[in-house]
Amino acid sequence: MRNVLGRELPDTIDGIGELRSYGPPPMPRKSGCISGGGGSPKLLASIRSALAACDVRDGATLSFHHHLRNGDHVMNLVLTEAARMGLRDLRIAPSSIFPVHEPLVGLINAGVIRSIHTAYVSGPVADAIGRGSLCVPAVLQTHGGRARAIESGELAIDVAFIAAPASDDCGNINGVSGPNACGTLGYAMVDARYAKRVVAVTDHLVKYPACPIDITQDCVDFVVPVDSIGDAARIVSGTTRITDDPVGLNIAQSAARIIEAAGLLNDSFSFQTGAGGVSLAVARFVEDGMRRRRVKGSFASGGITGQIVGMLEAGLFDALFDVQCFDLRAVESYRRNRRHQAMSASMYASPSTRGSVADNLDAMILGAAQVDLDFNVNVTTTADGRIIGGSGGHSDTAAGARLAIVTTRLRAGANPKIVESVRTITTPGASVDVVVTEAGIAVNPARDDLADMLKNAGIDTISIARLHDLAIQGSSEDKRPASATKDAPIVALQQYRDGSIIDVVRRTY
Amino acid sequence: MRNVLGRELPDTIDGIGELRSYGPPPMPRKSGCISGGGGSPKLLASIRSALAACDVRDGATLSFHHHLRNGDHVMNLVLTEAARMGLRDLRIAPSSIFPVHEPLVGLINAGVIRSIHTAYVSGPVADAIGRGSLCVPAVLQTHGGRARAIESGELAIDVAFIAAPASDDCGNINGVSGPNACGTLGYAMVDARYAKRVVAVTDHLVKYPACPIDITQDCVDFVVPVDSIGDAARIVSGTTRITDDPVGLNIAQSAARIIEAAGLLNDSFSFQTGAGGVSLAVARFVEDGMRRRRVKGSFASGGITGQIVGMLEAGLFDALFDVQCFDLRAVESYRRNRRHQAMSASMYASPSTRGSVADNLDAMILGAAQVDLDFNVNVTTTADGRIIGGSGGHSDTAAGARLAIVTTRLRAGANPKIVESVRTITTPGASVDVVVTEAGIAVNPARDDLADMLKNAGIDTISIARLHDLAIQGSSEDKRPASATKDAPIVALQQYRDGSIIDVVRRTY
C-alpha cells in the first residue's frame, strides 16, 4: 500500500503484523489543550456544562475527594446541579463524607443518589445510611482499599470531580495556592488517573502553568471556575491542641513508652498518628524519647499536622509522606519543603501496589470506638449501631505497621469501650498489637515477642479480658449480642482493604 | 454465610452482587516493602537475580530509558547478563540508543535481541539496524508515540529497568542525588507505571526515603545495587556552547525574528529548543527580544539546558517543564526550584492524553537532516539512507506547536539539505510552518497567515522551491528517487506518533 505522503509500505511484516498507514488527519493538529491566546477548550462556564460535556447519565458513578473536609462545597454543588438536571440513580464515591454534606440526604430520598462508596462518613448522611434510605447498602471502604478498587477497575468512576485550590485553564492543579489551599491532594490523585473523565472545579484560576503541580493536565478533561470551592475556616485549623487531660496524657505516655520498649526508636524509625488530642500527645512524648536518645528517624506519614512538621524541621525525621494536610502549618511546609512529600492514596495504603508507605511503618497510633476480646476494633459504628465514620486508613495502617497501638479510654461516659464483641468489625484483631488504656495495657497474645519486650522494659501488662472486666465495672454493658438485630435490613457493608466483607451494618431504627 | 470472624453475611446483595467473605490470610500482613531493620525483600544482589525474579523468558520485552544518554551503563549490563543466562529473542524498548550501546550489536547478531522499539538510535546499533541484522525491522517511534503505545497496551513491557541515580531499598527513586545525578526521569516515569515488573538499578543506595522522589515505591518491584550506572562525564556537560559561526547565528537570529513577527512574544509565550549550537543561539536571541519587550513568558519545555534555566531565573518564564535535563545547571535547578517541574513523556508529548505540554507550545525550534518541497522533514536517515537518529520529540512538538520552525543550512558539505523529496519522512510537512536557512526563509503555503505576519514585519520570504534551487546550485543533488531501493529489505519502520507508519527505511548495503 501507499500512504497519503506517497510512501510505499507493505501491508504486514512478519514479527510485527499488520501495518497501519499514515494518513492525516490521524488526529487534529493541536489535539490537546491550548492555553494562552485563544482560550482553552477545557474551560467550561458551569458545573452543568461539565456534567453535560462528560455525558453524565442516570446511574453514572461520580467521585469526589475530601481534602476540604467539613468545608467542602464541591460535592454539594455538583450533586445539587445533577438533581436540577433530572439525573437519577447516581452512585457516588467520595473518599469521605462530612456533616457539611447534609444536602445529600434530600438527594438520597429523592432517588438522585442510589448508592455510596466511601471510606468514611459522619453526620446527616451517615444517619440517612443508617436509616436505610439508600436503595443499595453503602459500601464502606478503607482509604487503601478504595485506591485498590479504583485501580483494579472494581470501582469504575465515570467522572471524578476535583476540588482544586488552584488550577490553570489546561487543568494543571495545585493544592498550595488560592483561598482554599489545603496542601497535598493524595486521595484525588488516584481518581484523576483512573476516572473516565476528570473535572477540576476551582475558585482560583491561575495563569498557565499552575506550578508546583499536584495533578497534571494530561489527566484533566475540563476546568470549571466557581465562586467558592470551600469554607477555608472549616478546612484547616490554625492550631491543633494537645490534650491537657491527665487521663489522656497518661494513655499517650504509655503508648510512647511501648514504642521505645519495642526497640523502634532508632535511625530508621517511622511513625504515624492522627490529629486528635491524645494522638498529638503521643507524638509529643515520642519526640521527647527521640531527643533523649538522639535519634534521627526515617519518616512520618499520614494526614500531617503542624506538630509533625515541627519534628521534621527539628531534624527528627528525614521526610514526611503526606496524603492530606491537617492544618495550615502542614500546608505551608508542603509548599516549600521538598522533604515534605505528597503521596497518593495508593502509595499510602493500597494493598495491591508493590509496597505502600503503610507497609513501611514502624509505629501506628490508632483510635477506637470499641475493642473486643479478640482485639477487633470498631471505628464504624457506636455500640448501638449508629454509623460514626469507618476505617479511613485505620485497617490499612494497622495491617502494615510493625506496631499497631490502639489508644482508648475504658469507657465513653458510662459505656464500656472494651467489650466482649464489637458491634461492627472495622479492623481485624489480627492486625492490632496492643491496646493502651488508662487502666492498663493489653498485648495481643499473638505478639508474645512484644509482651516480652515490654516486660524487659518494666512495663506491666494485663489481659484484654481484665481490661474488659474493668471497663464494665460500674457500667451496664450493652449485652445485646450482635445477633439481636440480625433480621434487620443491611444498610452498609464494611469492606476490608482487599475488597472482602468483614462485617455488615444493619438498620437500627 | 459467616466469615472467619463469625459475622453473618448474605451471599449476594441486590445492586451490588456477590459478596466476598473476609477470611485471613487475604494477604500476608506487611505484604509490601519493609525498609529498615530486617532489610527490604525488594533488594536483590545482582542483575541476574532480578532477571530471574522477574521471570524473564525468551521473547520478553525489556525497556530502558536514556536519561544517562551516551554515558549509560545499565542497558549494556542488563542485556549482557541476559545473554549469559542464555535468553534469546528479546524485544527491547529503550527510549533512545546511543553509541555507548555498541555491545548490543553482538547481542543482535547472536539472536539475544530480536527486535527494537525506540524513539532515537545513533551509532553502531543504528548501523546494525541499517544492515538488516535484526530478525524483525526496528520500530522507530516518537517520544510521545512511545508513551502512547505503552499506555494503550500496544507496546506491553514485561520488565522496565530504571537507571536510578539514587534509590532506597523500597524502590523510591530520585534523579538529583548520587554520582550520576541526571535530573528528571520523564521517560522512565511511563515505563515505571505500566510495565509488568519494574527494576531500579542504582549505584547510590540511600537511606529510606529517597526524597525528593521522582518515581515512587508503589511502582517498583526490585532494587539492584551495582558499581556504576553510568559515566557521569558523558551524561551531562558542564557547559553547552552557543554557536559562534556567523551562518548559524544568522539562521538563529532569523528564527527569533519570526517568533516576534508572529506576535508570540507576549506574557503567555512558551518556547522549546534543543541543545545544539544554533538552538541555543535562537534562545539567546529570543531572550533579547523578551527583555526588549519586557515580556514575562509562560513556560519553556523539553530537554532543559542551563541557558533556559537562566531565562527562568531571570524571570522570563514562569516555569519549566522538563522531561530530561541536558546539563548540570539544569540538574541543579531541578533539584532546588519547584517551578522547574518534571514532566513524564506522556505529559510532554503523548497524542492520546487530555492535553500534552507539546500542544501548549507557542514556538518550537526543530532541526533537519533534510527538508523537502512538501516541507516534510527527515531526521531519521542521511540522504543515502543511513540511520542517524529518529524523531525523538520532533514530530510531537511540530504537531503541537503554534509555530514549528525548522532551522537548517542549505547544504551539509556538498550535499543539499533542501531536497525534492526527503529520503525518509520523519515529520510530515503538514506540521512544519516555516523553514529558516542562511539563504532565506520559506513559509509553508498552508500558513498564509504567517506569511502575512512576516511580510508586515518586513521579513522577506522565498519559496521552498527557490531554497531547493539554491541548495542544489553547485552541488550534485542525489537524484536517486526514493523508489531506487524499493526492493531492498525493510530494516526499520518510521512510526508516526499515533502508531501509523509514515515511512520505511530499507537496507542500503
Side-chain angles (χ1 to χ4, degrees):
Chain A
M1 60 182 164
R2 191 183 282 268
N3 73 20
V4 298
L5 299 177
R7 302 289 160 139
E8 274 293 344
L9 319 173
D11 293 330
T12 64
I13 287 191
D14 283 352
I16 289 181
E18 248 178 65
L19 301 189
R20 188 154 52 86
S21 164
Y22 170 79
M27 61 191 71
R29 189 164 176 209
K30 298 191 178 300
S31 52
C33 182
I34 306 157
S35 186
S40 162
K42 289 188 182 179
L43 206 56
L44 299 180
S46 65
I47 299 286
R48 176 176 286 243
S49 314
L51 286 162
C54 294
D55 195 26
V56 174
R57 304 192 181 194
D58 290 353
T61 299
L62 309 184
S63 86
F64 304 89
H65 64 98
H66 72 285
H67 292 87
L68 303 180
R69 289 184 288 282
N70 200 33
D72 172 55
H73 289 175
V74 170
M75 182 153 60
N76 292 343
L77 272 176
V78 170
L79 292 173
T80 305
E81 191 60 37
R84 279 197 206 108
M85 292 169 73
L87 288 163
R88 292 184 61 80
D89 290 334
L90 299 175
R91 180 168 71 160
I92 64 168
S95 50
S96 296
I97 300 174
F98 289 91
V100 70
H101 299 118
E102 188 275 337
L104 272 57
V105 174
L107 303 179
I108 290 169
N109 293 333
V112 176
I113 297 169
R114 177 186 173 80
S115 66
I116 296 177
H117 280 54
T118 191
Y120 181 92
V121 53
S122 66
V125 177
D127 294 340
I129 293 170
R131 283 193 300 272
S133 301
L134 287 168
C135 301
V136 175
V139 177
L140 304 180
Q141 307 176 295
T142 74
H143 281 324
R146 180 178 185 273
R148 178 202 56 75
I150 293 169
E151 291 178 340
S152 69
E154 184 183 306
L155 176 57
I157 299 169
D158 292 304
V159 189
F161 289 87
I162 316 272
S167 175
D168 61 43
D169 60 359
C170 290
N172 291 299
I173 296 168
N174 80 55
V176 297
S177 317
N180 287 303
C182 60
T184 82
L185 301 171
Y187 297 110
M189 287 164 75
V190 178
D191 303 39
R193 190 162 286 282
Y194 288 89
K196 290 194 198 79
R197 289 279 176 266
V198 176
V199 178
V201 180
T202 191
D203 54 8
H204 189 59
L205 192 65
V206 299
K207 184 185 171 195
Y208 183 94
C211 287
I213 300 169
D214 286 294
I215 291 175
T216 53
Q217 66 184 59
D218 48 318
C219 299
V220 178
D221 294 280
F222 300 109
V223 179
V224 180
V226 296
D227 288 341
S228 169
I229 62 166
D231 175 356
R234 292 171 182 225
I235 291 168
V236 286
S237 55
T239 61
T240 315
R241 216 167 49 87
I242 292 178
T243 186
D244 55 9
D245 170 74
V247 174
L249 286 172
N250 169 267
I251 292 172
Q253 190 158 29
S254 295
R257 285 180 65 207
I258 291 168
I259 291 170
E260 191 166 357
L264 296 174
L265 281 197
N266 56 48
D267 285 349
S268 67
F269 179 59
S270 57
F271 180 63
Q272 181 170 331
T273 187
V278 173
S279 296
L280 293 171
V282 178
R284 165 67 61 83
F285 288 117
V286 165
E287 178 173 348
D288 291 345
M290 293 177 81
R291 288 183 186 277
R292 185 166 21 83
R293 287 176 168 261
R294 299 180 191 282
V295 161
K296 175 164 179 155
S298 171
F299 71 91
S301 59
I304 293 293
T305 59
Q307 190 189 13
I308 296 292
V309 168
M311 292 175 76
L312 173 71
E313 292 175 352
L316 296 174
F317 291 112
D318 283 333
L320 304 184
F321 284 117
D322 190 348
V323 69
Q324 170 179 38
C325 296
F326 276 147
D327 60 28
L328 289 174
R329 186 173 178 195
V331 174
E332 177 56 24
S333 167
Y334 174 60
R335 186 183 284 123
R336 62 184 169 67
N337 188 345
R338 288 189 101 159
R339 303 200 75 86
H340 186 149
Q341 179 109 26
M343 64 177 170
S344 71
S346 180
M347 182 182 178
Y348 169 35
S350 167
S352 59
T353 71
R354 291 95 186 258
S356 68
V357 170
D359 284 330
N360 287 69
L361 269 175
D362 282 335
M364 177 69 207
I365 308 299
L366 298 160
Q370 295 182 302
V371 184
D372 71 19
L373 298 182
D374 294 324
F375 289 79
N376 296 316
V377 177
N378 174 17
V379 289
T380 304
T381 64
T382 57
D384 58 1
R386 192 164 54 88
I387 296 171
I388 52 165
S391 172
H394 198 286
S395 303
D396 301 310
T397 52
R402 273 194 180 74
L403 179 58
I405 302 174
V406 170
T407 60
T408 180
R409 287 160 193 257
L410 278 188
R411 299 183 201 92
N415 297 316
K417 295 183 70 178
I418 313 294
V419 297
E420 195 175 323
S421 176
V422 291
R423 173 66 178 239
T424 309
I425 302 178
T426 315
T427 295
S431 51
V432 172
D433 298 304
V434 57
V435 175
V436 181
T437 73
E438 71 275 26
I441 295 163
V443 176
N444 189 325
R447 288 295 309 268
D448 280 347
D449 59 327
L450 178 62
D452 290 344
M453 286 187 279
L454 299 194
K455 193 173 171 188
N456 292 339
I459 299 174
D460 292 331
T461 61
I462 59 178
S463 71
I464 190 81
R466 178 71 188 137
L467 280 184
H468 172 53
D469 289 343
L470 294 169
I472 60 175
Q473 272 174 18
S475 80
S476 56
E477 184 176 17
D478 188 334
K479 288 288 185 188
R480 283 181 305 177
S483 60
T485 56
K486 80 173 184 191
D487 296 327
I490 292 171
V491 295
L493 302 173
Q494 180 60 58
Q495 213 181 48
Y496 191 59
R497 57 202 303 250
D498 64 351
S500 67
I501 305 303
I502 194 164
D503 211 342
V504 298
V505 180
R506 291 178 183 274
R507 197 171 72 191
T508 53
Y509 49 95
Chain B
M1 60 183 164
R2 189 182 283 267
N3 71 20
V4 299
L5 298 178
R7 302 290 160 138
E8 274 293 343
L9 319 173
D11 293 330
T12 63
I13 288 191
D14 282 352
I16 288 182
E18 247 177 65
L19 301 188
R20 188 153 52 85
S21 163
Y22 170 79
M27 62 191 72
R29 186 161 178 210
K30 300 195 176 296
S31 53
C33 182
I34 306 156
S35 187
S40 162
K42 289 188 183 179
L43 206 55
L44 299 180
S46 65
I47 299 286
R48 177 176 285 242
S49 314
L51 286 162
C54 293
D55 195 25
V56 174
R57 305 194 180 192
D58 291 352
T61 299
L62 309 183
S63 85
F64 303 88
H65 64 98
H66 73 285
H67 293 86
L68 303 180
R69 289 184 289 282
N70 200 34
D72 172 55
H73 289 177
V74 170
M75 182 153 58
N76 292 343
L77 271 176
V78 170
L79 293 173
T80 305
E81 191 59 38
R84 280 199 204 106
M85 292 169 72
L87 289 163
R88 292 183 62 80
D89 291 334
L90 299 174
R91 179 167 72 160
I92 63 169
S95 50
S96 295
I97 300 175
F98 289 91
V100 69
H101 298 118
E102 188 274 338
L104 271 57
V105 175
L107 303 179
I108 291 169
N109 293 333
V112 175
I113 298 169
R114 177 186 171 81
S115 66
I116 296 177
H117 280 54
T118 191
Y120 181 92
V121 53
S122 66
V125 177
D127 294 340
I129 293 170
R131 282 192 301 272
S133 300
L134 287 168
C135 301
V136 175
V139 177
L140 304 179
Q141 307 176 296
T142 73
H143 282 325
R146 180 178 183 274
R148 177 202 56 74
I150 293 170
E151 292 177 339
S152 69
E154 184 182 305
L155 176 56
I157 298 170
D158 292 303
V159 188
F161 288 87
I162 316 272
S167 175
D168 60 42
D169 60 359
C170 290
N172 290 299
I173 296 169
N174 80 55
V176 298
S177 317
N180 288 303
C182 61
T184 82
L185 300 171
Y187 297 111
M189 287 163 76
V190 179
D191 302 39
R193 189 162 286 282
Y194 288 89
K196 290 194 200 80
R197 289 280 176 265
V198 177
V199 178
V201 180
T202 191
D203 53 9
H204 190 59
L205 192 66
V206 299
K207 185 185 171 194
Y208 183 93
C211 288
I213 300 169
D214 286 295
I215 291 174
T216 53
Q217 65 184 59
D218 49 319
C219 297
V220 178
D221 293 281
F222 300 108
V223 180
V224 180
V226 296
D227 289 341
S228 171
I229 61 166
D231 175 356
R234 292 170 182 226
I235 292 168
V236 287
S237 55
T239 62
T240 315
R241 216 166 50 85
I242 292 176
T243 187
D244 55 8
D245 170 74
V247 174
L249 285 173
N250 169 267
I251 292 172
Q253 190 158 30
S254 295
R257 286 180 66 208
I258 291 168
I259 291 170
E260 190 166 356
L264 297 174
L265 282 197
N266 56 48
D267 285 349
S268 66
F269 178 58
S270 57
F271 179 62
Q272 181 169 332
T273 186
V278 172
S279 296
L280 292 172
V282 177
R284 165 67 60 83
F285 289 117
V286 165
E287 178 173 347
D288 291 347
M290 293 176 81
R291 288 183 185 278
R292 185 167 19 84
R293 286 175 169 263
R294 300 180 191 280
V295 162
K296 176 165 179 153
S298 172
F299 71 91
S301 59
I304 294 292
T305 60
Q307 190 189 12
I308 297 292
V309 168
M311 292 174 78
L312 174 72
E313 292 175 354
L316 296 174
F317 291 112
D318 283 333
L320 305 184
F321 285 117
D322 190 348
V323 69
Q324 170 179 38
C325 297
F326 276 147
D327 59 29
L328 289 173
R329 186 174 178 194
V331 174
E332 177 56 26
S333 166
Y334 174 60
R335 185 183 287 124
R336 63 184 169 65
N337 189 344
R338 287 189 102 157
R339 303 199 75 85
H340 186 149
Q341 178 110 26
M343 64 177 169
S344 72
S346 180
M347 181 182 180
Y348 169 34
S350 167
S352 59
T353 72
R354 290 95 186 254
S356 68
V357 170
D359 284 331
N360 287 71
L361 268 174
D362 282 336
M364 176 70 207
I365 308 300
L366 298 161
Q370 297 182 301
V371 184
D372 70 20
L373 298 181
D374 293 325
F375 288 79
N376 297 315
V377 177
N378 173 16
V379 289
T380 304
T381 64
T382 57
D384 57 2
R386 193 164 53 86
I387 296 171
I388 52 165
S391 171
H394 197 286
S395 303
D396 301 309
T397 51
R402 273 195 179 74
L403 178 59
I405 303 175
V406 170
T407 61
T408 180
R409 286 159 194 258
L410 277 188
R411 298 183 201 93
N415 296 317
K417 296 183 70 178
I418 313 296
V419 298
E420 195 175 322
S421 175
V422 291
R423 173 67 178 239
T424 310
I425 302 178
T426 314
T427 295
S431 51
V432 172
D433 298 304
V434 57
V435 175
V436 181
T437 72
E438 72 275 26
I441 294 163
V443 176
N444 189 326
R447 288 296 308 268
D448 279 349
D449 59 329
L450 178 62
D452 289 345
M453 287 188 277
L454 300 195
K455 194 174 171 186
N456 292 340
I459 297 174
D460 291 331
T461 60
I462 60 178
S463 71
I464 190 80
R466 179 70 187 136
L467 279 185
H468 172 55
D469 289 341
L470 293 169
I472 59 176
Q473 271 174 19
S475 79
S476 57
E477 181 175 20
D478 187 336
K479 287 289 185 188
R480 284 180 305 174
S483 59
T485 56
K486 80 172 183 192
D487 295 327
I490 291 171
V491 296
L493 302 173
Q494 180 59 60
Q495 212 180 48
Y496 191 60
R497 56 202 302 249
D498 64 350
S500 66
I501 306 301
I502 194 164
D503 210 342
V504 298
V505 180
R506 291 177 184 273
R507 198 170 72 193
T508 53
Y509 48 94

